[in-house]
Amino acid sequence: MSDADAPWLVVGLGNPGPEYAANRHNVGFMVADLLAGRIGGKFKAHRSRAQVLEGRLGAPGAGSRRVVLAKPMSYMNLSGGPVTALRDFYKVPLEHLVVVHDELDIDYGVLRLKAGGGDNGHNGLKSITKSLGPGYHRVRFGIGRPPGRMPVADFVLKDFSSAERKELDYFVDRAADAVECLLVDGLERAQGTYNS
């Protein structure tokens, strides 16, 4: 199988369990769930300690891409294990890995797409980069900085505020669009469209 025919692995980062479901740190799961809805399938448990869904994204025909959507069921700081297992199982080249995650250093709702780079203190990225190296794509979903002196760990593990929730569905939908654009049209085009 050539790299061009290889599937894409799109990983939404989050923490498993209902108590974390609406946390800022779980926005990657929210985007993955929306993409699953677009594929028209349900996540199933995989031996890699992740929930996965295989399907196609993009316009039907030549414009669509084979994709494996995944939500690691380890905690965020252990994401590297399941992601590496999935990459090996599905034979995904590193440049076909897309990680969707929350980003403190970007204002709420703003997206930034990039390939490679540091982990910026994000424990999920730190774990994945330690396992695989930095050469994968990231869709960074801005959540802003904590107010006042609130510790970062408390902020990311809190639910979005009621003001933020008013726009959350729109921003999650836009992030899902950005993932599809990245897969179908490439990074440069996706950056031009979604790096606001």
Side-chain angles (χ1 to χ4, degrees), residues 1-188:
M1 175 167 58
S2 75
D3 280 3
D5 301 327
W8 285 80
L9 174 58
V10 176
V11 178
L13 293 185
N15 285 308
E19 68 274 30
Y20 298 108
N23 287 180
R24 291 182 178 95
H25 223 19
N26 271 44
V27 76
F29 275 15
M30 296 173 197
V31 174
D33 286 338
L34 185 65
L35 288 167
R38 291 181 182 183
I39 287 174
K42 294 213 181 317
F43 282 100
K44 292 184 175 59
H46 188 272
R47 66 182 188 211
S48 61
R49 287 182 312 147
Q51 299 261 316
V52 300
L53 170 63
E54 295 177 61
R56 296 190 82 84
L57 282 171
S64 74
R65 297 286 179 266
R66 222 175 113 216
V67 66
V68 178
L69 286 180
K71 299 191 294 184
M73 291 289 114
S74 59
Y75 284 98
M76 178 76 83
N77 57 345
L78 301 171
S79 301
V83 174
T84 302
L86 284 168
R87 193 202 66 161
D88 293 348
F89 182 84
Y90 288 103
K91 298 180 175 45
V92 174
L94 192 57
E95 59 275 13
H96 276 211
L97 171 61
V98 180
V99 177
V100 184
H101 64 91
D102 57 303
E103 178 63 65
L104 286 160
D105 287 333
I106 302 175
D107 289 342
Y108 173 63
V110 173
L111 296 175
R112 291 277 187 277
L113 285 77
K114 70 176 193 172
D119 56 54
N120 210 15
H122 192 291
N123 289 332
L125 294 181
K126 206 175 281 183
S127 176
I128 294 168
T129 299
K130 188 175 172 197
S131 298
L132 294 172
Y136 53 92
H137 291 91
R138 299 101 192 270
V139 175
R140 304 155 71 208
F141 187 110
I143 60 168
R145 303 289 309 178
R149 296 212 170 119
M150 184 191 289
V152 164
D154 293 348
F155 179 70
V156 299
L157 293 175
K158 280 205 178 346
D159 290 0
F160 286 100
S161 69
S162 53
E164 288 169 334
R165 279 198 301 272
K166 289 188 175 101
E167 294 180 293
L168 183 60
D169 287 350
Y170 168 77
F171 289 140
V172 168
D173 194 59
R174 195 163 179 271
D177 289 347
V179 170
E180 286 203 52
C181 184
L182 170 60
L183 269 52
V184 174
D185 298 322
L187 179 61
E188 229 173 275

